[in-house]
Amino acid sequence: CQPNVAEPANPALPDPVNLGDTHLAGLGAIGNGFTWALARVGSLTGTLTGVEDEAVDLTNLQRYVLVTQNDREKQKTE
């Protein structure tokens, strides 16, 4: 079952949603999923900066919705 990525996850959110200047510490499984969910909010403004010092490795592929085999050894912030 593939989610429909063209529609916002929660159309009841106010539009636009202003993130301001936000930093997300940690782009592991939870941070990756959070970023994926934000990408599906109708209209976001502001800046989200991911803070992470690790690269994607083979063990991440099963838990991260935003990475593929081609992302191995890239920094998670990419």
Side-chain angles (χ1 to χ4, degrees), residues 13-22 38 41-48:
L13 288 173
D15 202 23
V17 174
N18 186 351
L19 296 176
D21 186 16
T22 302
L38 279 181
V41 173
S43 175
L44 291 177
T45 60
T47 303
L48 178 67

Side-chain angles (χ1 to χ4, degrees), residues 29 32 56-69 72:
N32 193 274
V56 175
D57 64 34
L58 185 61
T59 65
N60 300 138
L61 299 180
Q62 67 185 19
R63 297 185 310 272
Y64 294 13
V65 294
L66 295 175
V67 299
T68 67
Q69 288 276 356
R72 287 177 51 199

